[in-house]
Amino acid sequence: MKFIKKMDIWLIFSLFSIIILLPQINQHALVLGGDSLFHMNRFYDAMMQIKEGNIQYFVSMYGYSQSGRIVNALYGPYLAYINGFIMLLTHSWLKYQIVSDWIVNVIAASTMYYLLRSNYVQKSYAVWISILYVTTYAVTAWTLSQQFLSWGAALFPLGISAATRMIRDKNEPVKIIELALSVTLIIQSHVLTSLILVLVLTVFFIWSMFTTYNIKKLIFGVLISSILTTMLTSNVWGALLEVYGSNHLLAPFHNMEPLQNGTINLSLTNSQLSIGLATLIIIQIMYVFLNKNNLSKLNVGVTIIGLIFFILSTNFLPWNTIFLHFKSIAIIQFPIRLFIPAITLLLLGLGLSLTDFSSRVQNHLNIDYLLIGLALFTVLNITAVVTDISGQASFWKTEQVITRKANVRELVKGDRLRQLFDSKQDRGKALEYVYKPTSDYVPILDKEANIENPYGVFDKEIYKQNKSVTKSVVDRKLVVKWNDENGGDIRQIPIIKYQNTQLILNGQTLAKNQYSLSEIGTVSIKSKRGLNQMILSYQPSFIFHLLMVLNVLAWISVLIFLLIPKTVKLNIRKHYKRSKFLN
């Protein structure tokens, strides 16, 4: 019976996740937002690696114009392969997008429900608030503009559940698997979001130090969880050490004007924060501050912390000045990322307040009014999101096709572009005709180098040079061929070389003095007359191989532990305690 009830709730979330995507489904429209082309290249590369059996963890051999650049290894590698597998199964860009949107929505609703129920929020409130969470900008950003922060946001409530346990459960403030997996999953999906989660966890850890009955148990649990997380994410930080340790990489886009591009603008026309959601936030904050002496410390605490993060995500602060003078803070790029912990904590606080109020009110009619009010606000937010999705989908039928064209290069438009994206034969073809020459993570000669227009350089040296060569993938290696009529000329080849990238030209492994590199790592060599062939491969260090073995073993161990029946775990624990007592 309990299983059926859980399945009913999952079914509600699944159906709701389909409902908000109906505008896109009905219009048969692909939504191409600001980050679409970047992530499409990532997942297309992963899909083709799986499809053709040419698994290459580091360099891109199919995406990004087959340039050999490194992206996925530094940006949610396992999740990239999961998305690549989904692409392989769905057979079209549109089906992939709808399925991935649905998955993000269902995960977000499920994790928020887990957070709320873990904190004893009444079930009826928990369901509606979980649906409400899906309609917030933190989650809908993936559907509306393919911002990957939504994958982190979908998993974020798991981390908050581990954080609140430090306060609500004074006898067992840390469940090692819960804390380790919540941090691990977010690191595996979006590193910047994981840094924000660690910040939130640190706040709750310090708070717990003053409230827990057993500080040693708290510290021990956090320590063991950290060690386990380190092992479960060794593929991520290992790749970062591998690439950053041997190369100077061009940093991702540095947002110099976050107030104009990257904060929640508190206005009536702001689509990132609906009037309904803003009203609920205000009600929760006012309720807590007016009744703080009668509410649980957890409710008061999550509301205050959530409010702080909410203020930090808005244009209340002089973010332009902060980013200018504090480069370490500017790494977050967009302060709106801080909206993720803000809305998660504030919605948890709302659930706690509704549950608290219901427990103190004897009149069931008042409780029904509360539930109806929450449902009404949620429906209003759903309506706003459906309208936004419909608006974004409407671009598909226009000549523009792409909703945001900043730095986008289009070789075709309108009907021809739609035909390319609708093609089920070769989904990579569309990425050849419309692309965004993002230059993140390319190797530069000097870490202090100031490349005036890296997007333009990447476009010139990679995308435009591709016309004069042919590229293919053979045995996990990228093969580039071209004809040179004269021979002896210095020729720039549209591939990127990192420290551990290996190059073989016409059967000969190239030494450092046999090639030169541009300011973004593009290779130039002296070619021979006639047909030339360059083979590119990547050989990671021995240490990285060891870290990958550690990572696989750690995941296998955790999965085995999770699959062990609960009764067996209890017997093992009792046996351990008994033997400890006898000794």
Side-chain angles (χ1 to χ4, degrees):
M1 193 70 176
K2 191 176 180 181
F3 173 75
I4 294 174
K5 288 181 180 178
K6 287 183 178 180
M7 287 299 294
D8 287 345
I9 289 168
W10 186 84
L11 184 61
I12 290 170
F13 294 155
S14 299
L15 291 174
F16 162 73
S17 298
I18 294 174
I19 289 170
I20 64 172
L21 295 173
L22 283 178
Q24 188 178 358
I25 296 171
N26 290 336
Q27 295 182 52
H28 198 76
L30 191 64
V31 176
L32 298 174
D35 292 337
S36 299
L37 297 172
F38 178 76
H39 294 299
M40 281 178 161
N41 274 276
R42 289 180 60 211
F43 304 150
Y44 174 73
D45 186 80
M47 182 198 74
M48 291 302 295
Q49 287 189 33
I50 296 169
K51 182 179 180 180
E52 298 193 353
N54 284 309
I55 305 298
Q56 170 51 260
Y57 189 83
F58 281 91
V59 298
S60 302
M61 299 183 295
Y62 299 94
Y64 302 104
S65 197
Q66 298 185 281
S67 58
R69 64 182 290 190
I70 297 175
V71 178
N72 278 342
L74 306 175
Y75 200 131
Y78 287 167
L79 195 52
Y81 280 110
I82 290 172
N83 275 276
F85 185 68
I86 295 170
M87 278 188 61
L88 188 62
L89 295 178
T90 51
H91 303 293
S92 76
W93 282 115
L94 177 61
K95 289 179 182 177
Y96 159 74
Q97 191 173 82
I98 291 172
V99 169
S100 68
D101 291 345
W102 178 83
I103 289 172
V104 169
N105 293 340
V106 171
I107 292 174
S110 302
T111 58
M112 176 54 81
Y113 184 78
Y114 173 80
L115 167 63
L116 294 166
R117 295 296 288 154
S118 297
N119 286 280
Y120 312 112
V121 172
Q122 191 174 307
K123 184 178 288 187
S124 53
Y125 296 137
V127 172
W128 281 108
I129 292 173
S130 298
I131 292 173
L132 180 62
Y133 180 63
V134 176
T135 66
T136 65
Y137 177 77
V139 179
T140 60
W142 177 249
T143 301
L144 294 171
S145 57
Q146 290 73 60
Q147 295 182 47
F148 211 65
L149 65 88
S150 294
W151 286 86
L155 296 163
F156 204 83
L158 295 177
I160 298 300
S161 180
T164 55
R165 184 180 298 281
M166 296 180 189
I167 308 304
R168 72 173 183 268
D169 194 340
K170 292 178 171 55
N171 293 312
E172 191 178 3
V174 175
K175 281 191 174 181
I176 292 171
I177 292 294
E178 179 189 49
L179 179 56
L181 278 182
S182 63
V183 178
T184 293
L185 290 173
I186 296 178
I187 291 175
Q188 292 286 1
S189 60
H190 199 251
V191 173
L192 272 177
T193 304
S194 70
L195 295 177
I196 296 171
L197 175 60
V198 170
L199 175 60
V200 176
L201 286 168
T202 302
V203 172
F204 277 85
F205 174 77
I206 295 171
W207 180 7
S208 181
M209 292 279 284
F210 295 98
T211 60
T212 187
Y213 295 151
N214 194 331
I215 292 179
K216 289 183 179 179
K217 201 170 187 178
L218 171 69
I219 295 174
F220 178 78
V222 170
L223 181 62
I224 299 301
S225 297
S226 301
I227 293 171
L228 182 56
T229 300
T230 301
M231 293 189 291
L232 290 169
T233 59
S234 60
N235 66 306
V236 177
W237 59 262
L240 290 169
L241 290 176
E242 160 80 20
V243 181
Y244 277 93
S246 56
N247 302 274
H248 300 306
L249 300 189
L250 186 65
F253 163 66
H254 187 174
N255 187 7
M256 296 301 296
E257 296 182 329
L259 286 175
Q260 289 71 37
N261 178 30
T263 58
I264 290 180
N265 182 19
L266 296 179
S267 66
L268 294 176
T269 58
N270 179 28
S271 61
Q272 296 163 339
L273 182 67
S274 69
I275 295 175
L277 185 59
T279 303
L280 279 178
I281 291 173
I282 292 170
I283 291 173
Q284 165 60 13
I285 293 169
M286 289 179 63
Y287 180 79
V288 166
F289 279 94
L290 291 174
N291 300 275
K292 59 182 181 295
N293 295 327
N294 299 319
L295 297 175
S296 67
K297 291 181 180 178
L298 180 61
N299 191 357
V300 176
V302 298
T303 302
I304 292 173
I305 297 169
L307 176 60
I308 292 171
F309 275 104
F310 178 74
I311 293 171
L312 290 173
S313 70
T314 68
N315 57 354
F316 277 2
L317 274 67
W319 279 112
N320 288 3
T321 304
I322 294 172
F323 273 28
L324 181 64
H325 295 290
F326 299 96
K327 298 293 176 66
S328 57
I329 297 178
I331 193 174
I332 66 171
Q333 292 182 306
F334 308 102
I336 199 171
R337 296 183 195 276
L338 301 174
F339 182 68
I340 297 174
I343 197 61
T344 306
L345 290 165
L346 289 170
L347 288 181
L348 169 59
L350 177 65
L352 292 171
S353 293
L354 290 169
T355 301
D356 172 77
F357 187 80
S358 297
S359 67
R360 290 193 280 120
V361 174
Q362 300 300 320
N363 188 340
H364 287 285
L365 188 61
N366 289 337
I367 296 174
D368 291 339
Y369 285 149
L370 281 178
L371 194 57
I372 292 170
L374 177 61
L376 180 61
F377 275 112
T378 304
V379 170
L380 287 174
N381 229 49
I382 292 170
T383 304
V385 169
V386 169
T387 301
D388 285 343
I389 293 174
S390 180
Q392 294 297 95
S394 66
F395 280 92
W396 178 250
K397 300 296 184 181
T398 69
E399 188 68 15
Q400 183 168 338
V401 179
I402 301 171
T403 62
R404 291 184 61 189
K405 293 192 174 185
N407 294 309
V408 171
R409 312 293 197 265
E410 292 176 289
L411 304 184
V412 295
K413 297 183 180 181
D415 288 337
R416 177 56 180 148
L417 186 55
R418 280 188 286 274
Q419 290 171 5
L420 288 169
F421 276 110
D422 279 336
S423 173
K424 297 179 182 179
Q425 303 301 318
D426 184 3
R427 276 175 276 180
K429 208 68 179 174
L431 304 180
E432 295 177 16
Y433 286 88
V434 58
Y435 59 91
K436 188 174 183 177
T438 314
S439 52
D440 299 0
Y441 314 121
V442 297
I444 54 179
L445 299 177
D446 184 356
K447 64 179 180 180
E448 301 297 331
N450 182 25
I451 303 175
E452 186 174 344
N453 181 17
Y455 279 41
V457 175
F458 194 87
D459 186 20
K460 177 183 176 183
E461 296 185 2
I462 300 297
Y463 284 100
K464 291 180 179 177
Q465 290 291 334
N466 258 6
K467 298 175 183 178
S468 59
V469 301
T470 60
K471 293 180 177 179
S472 59
V473 182
V474 179
D475 192 24
R476 300 173 63 230
K477 297 179 177 65
L478 179 63
V479 180
V480 186
K481 295 180 180 180
W482 70 94
N483 272 298
D484 193 330
E485 295 181 358
N486 302 315
D489 296 332
I490 300 297
R491 186 184 183 100
Q492 190 172 68
I493 312 301
I495 53 175
I496 302 292
K497 186 189 184 305
Y498 296 81
Q499 179 67 32
N500 289 338
T501 300
Q502 296 182 344
L503 300 174
I504 299 176
L505 176 62
N506 299 323
Q508 179 186 359
T509 301
L510 295 181
K512 284 186 177 181
N513 61 353
Q514 293 178 299
Y515 61 84
S516 61
L517 300 175
S518 73
E519 57 186 347
I520 63 165
T522 309
V523 178
S524 291
I525 48 90
K526 183 183 290 187
S527 63
K528 68 177 185 179
R529 185 176 182 181
L531 180 65
N532 289 263
Q533 176 178 276
M534 173 83 78
I535 299 176
L536 179 149
S537 60
Y538 188 91
Q539 184 59 49
S541 64
F542 177 71
I543 293 176
F544 181 77
H545 285 296
L546 287 180
L547 291 174
M548 284 298 291
V549 172
L550 172 67
N551 186 257
V552 172
L553 292 176
W555 274 106
I556 291 173
S557 301
V558 168
L559 290 174
I560 290 174
F561 177 80
L562 292 174
L563 292 172
I564 294 175
K566 191 174 182 179
T567 52
V568 176
K569 292 177 187 175
L570 288 173
N571 290 333
I572 293 172
R573 192 175 298 173
K574 287 178 181 177
H575 177 74
Y576 171 75
K577 288 181 177 179
R578 192 183 302 115
S579 62
K580 187 177 180 181
F581 174 76
L582 292 173
N583 291 333

